[in-house]
Amino acid sequence: MKVVFNTLVFVLFFVQIFAQNKPTFSVVGNAINKESIANGKRLDISKIKVENISNKPIFLLWETVYNSFPKEWDCSMCQHGACQIGIPKGSSFNKLNPDQQGFIAIHVIPEKKTGRGVVKFKIYDKANPDYSQIITFEVEVL
């Protein structure tokens, strides 16, 4: 009886771990957007979408993990549910229902400053932080 109980506990433990690591969202299309704009122009919007692939509502969080945009560039970003001035350290999406899509988008006004910049965001489900995706925006001003 003890062997059966221990086996059952062992199986339930691994089922729970597997269930927690199962992805609840996915990136729609490419996880990297590469944008090139002429000097004196602006990048009105570059957007990467994510989709809830689970059968229940999820709450996605994001954090900036890398940002090399030149300090002279005027940048802002939006995520599903809100926009911010600049590129903040992190925030959260509004609730995503099953099959609903959300997004992260950036806007760049380079102020006639040529160069290249990259910003990377880590996105993860609040209920499943072990699974994450990195999305990347690469912007070059010529």
Side-chain angles (χ1 to χ4, degrees):
M1 184 66 169
K2 187 175 182 178
V3 170
V4 171
F5 177 75
N6 286 341
T7 302
L8 182 59
V9 168
F10 183 75
V11 168
L12 289 175
F13 175 74
F14 278 101
V15 166
Q16 181 179 5
I17 288 175
F18 177 74
Q20 289 177 344
N21 290 330
K22 183 178 178 186
T24 56
F25 71 96
S26 66
V27 174
V28 177
N30 290 326
I32 300 174
N33 274 7
K34 295 182 180 187
E35 306 284 357
S36 183
I37 57 176
N39 192 8
K41 299 294 182 182
R42 59 194 273 163
L43 176 62
D44 287 325
I45 189 165
S46 182
K47 183 187 294 188
I48 298 176
K49 295 180 181 179
V50 294
E51 183 173 1
N52 179 350
I53 59 172
S54 75
N55 60 0
K56 61 184 178 180
I58 61 173
F59 294 88
L60 296 180
L61 304 174
W62 64 267
E63 57 190 63
T64 303
V65 293
Y66 181 79
N67 183 357
S68 67
F69 282 175
K71 65 181 178 178
E72 296 87 1
W73 290 4
D74 182 10
C75 305
S76 62
M77 62 88 57
C78 298
Q79 83 267 346
H80 180 71
C83 291
Q84 290 103 13
I85 297 171
I87 307 292
K89 295 194 183 292
S91 189
S92 62
F93 284 58
N94 282 350
K95 174 178 74 171
L96 288 176
N97 290 313
D99 297 322
Q100 185 178 10
Q101 291 184 355
F103 65 90
I104 287 185
I106 61 164
H107 317 277
V108 178
I109 303 171
E111 301 294 336
K112 297 185 180 181
K113 168 71 174 157
T114 59
R116 183 176 184 277
V118 176
V119 64
K120 295 182 181 208
F121 301 101
K122 175 182 174 182
I123 302 175
Y124 55 96
D125 184 346
K126 183 177 181 179
N128 184 16
D130 291 335
Y131 175 79
S132 65
Q133 290 285 316
I134 301 290
I135 63 171
T136 303
F137 295 91
E138 298 178 6
V139 178
E140 185 171 18
V141 179
L142 306 170

